Amino acid sequence: GAVVSQHPSRVICKSGTSVKIECRSLDFQATTMFWYRQFPKQSLMLMATSNEGSKATYEQGVEKDKFLINHASLTLSTLTVTSAHPEDSSFYICSAQRGRESEQYFGPGTRLTVT
Amino acid sequence: GESVGLHLPTLSVQEGDNSIINCAYSNSASDYFIWYKQESGKGPQFIIDIRSNMDKRQGQRVTVLLNKTVKHLSLQIAATQPGDSAVYFCAEKTSNTGKLIFGQGTTLQVKP
């Protein structure tokens, strides 16, 4: 149990376009989902925390108008990278949590390449 | 600010030897710690966790030690195998924020 999926696993887009990444909890309801970004040979950096039915909370330095997060249901959160630029190329990872005290279950990640 | 760091960026061990990966954390309010394994191109995989009211926890071939006095965490892997080759991250969490803060990662290379 506690499987989290992401779609797509890889995406290439042109500079200036937008791309949407989905994060789904397959066998449990996630009250909270988290979005992380990971550059090559670096650690995971938390971008935002998303609670179902409410606005996401963004970490300092993360532009909320550029990284749109929607958590419309207890099993789905989406991250939309708007007007993508090459510097947005990264590995985006989501995690899902049943409740505040429970473990975070991580998705397999999405590799975004902006050309 | 908060930070969780690792002492060694790369650790190379012989197959069958024991591995020790270290981590320092700076937030004394952190009350939950987790070790993750990340293989190339994949998401982090939970290995073992420990709460701040404990100083040692054992799993299958892995042991986590927590020293709150010096704010130090370690992961011990017994009889390291080639499949253990990956990047290992420690992460800390505080109850009041619920957010995970990741350390910088240690690459474990297992030589056959």
Side-chain angles (χ1 to χ4, degrees):
Chain A
V3 179
V4 176
S5 70
Q6 284 184 238
H7 178 79
S9 57
R10 290 177 175 271
V11 58
I12 301 172
C13 70
K14 292 186 177 179
S15 188
T17 63
S18 297
V19 61
K20 180 186 285 188
I21 302 169
E22 293 185 349
C23 176
R24 292 181 185 273
S25 55
L26 298 185
D27 50 3
F28 67 100
Q29 293 186 327
T31 55
T32 307
M33 288 184 171
F34 301 86
W35 286 96
Y36 297 83
R37 180 168 52 183
Q38 185 178 33
F39 292 109
K41 300 193 184 301
Q42 293 190 24
S43 188
L44 281 75
M45 286 178 44
L46 180 65
M47 299 176 67
T49 302
S50 167
N51 291 296
E52 186 265 339
S54 62
K55 289 184 179 179
T57 303
Y58 291 81
E59 294 300 300
Q60 192 172 6
V62 178
E63 299 175 58
K64 58 183 176 184
D65 293 331
K66 181 170 181 62
F67 298 99
L68 302 178
I69 291 172
N70 184 279
H71 193 160
S73 77
L74 285 170
T75 60
L76 173 65
S77 177
T78 60
L79 168 68
T80 301
V81 183
T82 62
S83 186
H85 292 286
E87 56 265 31
D88 298 323
S89 298
S90 189
F91 195 49
Y92 291 86
I93 305 170
C94 73
S95 70
Q97 187 174 284
R98 284 192 182 95
R100 189 175 177 80
E101 296 301 316
S102 77
E103 180 182 340
Q104 285 187 32
Y105 301 96
F106 284 85
T110 296
R111 174 76 58 193
L112 170 64
T113 303
V114 185
T115 62
Chain B
E2 298 178 348
S3 68
V4 179
L6 288 155
H7 296 307
L8 297 174
T10 303
L11 176 65
S12 186
V13 300
Q14 204 71 37
E15 181 179 357
D17 288 352
N18 296 333
S19 303
I20 300 176
I21 301 172
N22 296 303
C23 176
Y25 64 95
S26 59
N27 187 355
S28 56
S30 293
D31 53 13
Y32 181 55
F33 304 87
I34 312 107
W35 280 101
Y36 291 95
K37 173 185 180 183
Q38 187 180 30
E39 296 175 312
S40 182
K42 297 184 179 180
Q45 175 188 349
F46 174 93
I47 301 172
I48 192 168
D49 60 358
I50 189 167
R51 297 205 174 272
S52 58
N53 60 353
M54 301 173 69
D55 53 22
K56 180 179 180 179
R57 190 156 188 237
Q58 288 185 292
Q60 189 176 14
R61 279 202 307 121
V62 294
T63 301
V64 56
L65 298 177
L66 174 63
N67 185 331
K68 294 183 289 295
T69 303
V70 295
K71 288 185 274 188
H72 183 269
L73 193 68
S74 69
L75 175 69
Q76 300 177 3
I77 304 174
T80 313
Q81 302 167 1
D84 295 327
S85 295
V87 179
Y88 289 80
F89 293 97
C90 63
E92 62 175 326
K93 185 177 178 181
T94 53
S95 298
N96 61 339
T97 67
K99 295 189 286 190
L100 280 178
I101 307 295
F102 279 81
Q104 290 306 303
T106 292
T107 300
L108 177 64
Q109 297 175 340
V110 182
K111 296 178 288 186

